[in-house]
Amino acid sequence: MSTLLSSPVTAAQQQRDLLLGALVGLARSTVNEPKTEDTDHVLAAGLRLAAKPEADTTALERMRNIVETEKHRVAPNCANCTMRCGNTDNYDLTRLWNAPAEVRTLKLELLAALFALAQRRSTERIADEIRNDLFVLAEDWDTTLLSPIVPRAQELCRW
């Protein structure tokens, strides 16, 4: 496994995890609120940057700020909510790194497919898949629930 998709050690890897967690939060914010005309572009741009092993901490942090700004545009009331439901919270990738090996492997395969999808010319189907699969990353699903999702994303990478 590449160091890109491994538990973070360097500052850049930690920033990458924070960016990926923010992307999950943005995707989850679109479940109950309508996305903006920029949401899909921000998600794809964030994934493209996160997929670059040479991305530096400054670029990753700057993109995370863009993602957070977009999330607050999509769900403006969530930022100051006093009765937090957690639906738009950023995902803590520590949960992924500490997941059982089979779940972690499936989620990393899903993340790799998301990186590949973000490189493609966006279509509504690809944008929907990216949002849906980012949502799935934060779910505590077992291999039975995850197993059909990964091949679907991988297949879309091939079309």
Side-chain angles (χ1 to χ4, degrees):
M1 179 187 322
S2 76
T3 57
L4 178 63
L5 294 176
S6 63
S7 185
V9 177
T10 68
Q13 290 169 329
Q14 291 167 349
Q15 279 299 325
R16 180 172 289 106
D17 274 14
L18 290 172
L19 171 58
L20 290 169
L23 289 166
V24 169
L26 172 56
R28 293 177 70 86
S29 72
T30 66
V31 171
N32 295 317
E33 300 291 337
K35 62 182 183 155
T36 74
E37 65 281 356
D38 299 322
T39 303
D40 292 330
H41 172 73
V42 169
L43 289 169
L47 285 168
R48 284 192 301 272
L49 180 62
K52 291 183 178 179
E54 73 280 2
D56 68 24
T57 56
T58 304
L60 292 162
E61 187 174 1
R62 191 171 37 249
M63 179 55 75
R64 184 169 49 94
N65 289 333
I66 291 167
V67 172
E68 291 290 347
T69 299
E70 180 63 13
K71 183 171 75 169
H72 296 308
R73 286 181 62 210
V74 171
N77 295 326
C78 290
N80 300 316
C81 183
T82 58
M83 301 198 50
R84 297 196 59 77
C85 65
N87 289 344
T88 64
D89 288 352
N90 292 351
Y91 178 58
D92 181 356
L93 264 78
T94 303
R95 290 174 46 204
L96 182 144
W97 303 123
N98 293 330
E102 293 132 352
V103 169
R104 184 175 55 249
T105 297
L106 284 170
K107 286 189 175 187
L108 290 174
E109 288 174 7
L110 185 60
L111 192 54
L114 284 167
F115 287 165
L117 286 173
Q119 302 299 324
R120 310 251 339 241
R121 185 180 63 78
S122 187
T123 65
E124 194 59 37
R125 183 170 177 203
I126 288 173
D128 288 346
E129 188 73 25
I130 287 173
R131 284 191 316 279
N132 292 336
D133 293 347
L134 282 169
F135 180 95
V136 166
L137 282 177
E139 294 298 305
D140 290 325
W141 290 358
D142 62 15
T143 56
T144 305
L145 293 171
L146 286 170
S147 292
I149 292 169
V150 174
R152 183 187 70 212
Q154 291 169 331
E155 179 62 30
L156 190 53
C157 291
R158 289 187 279 274
W159 86 215

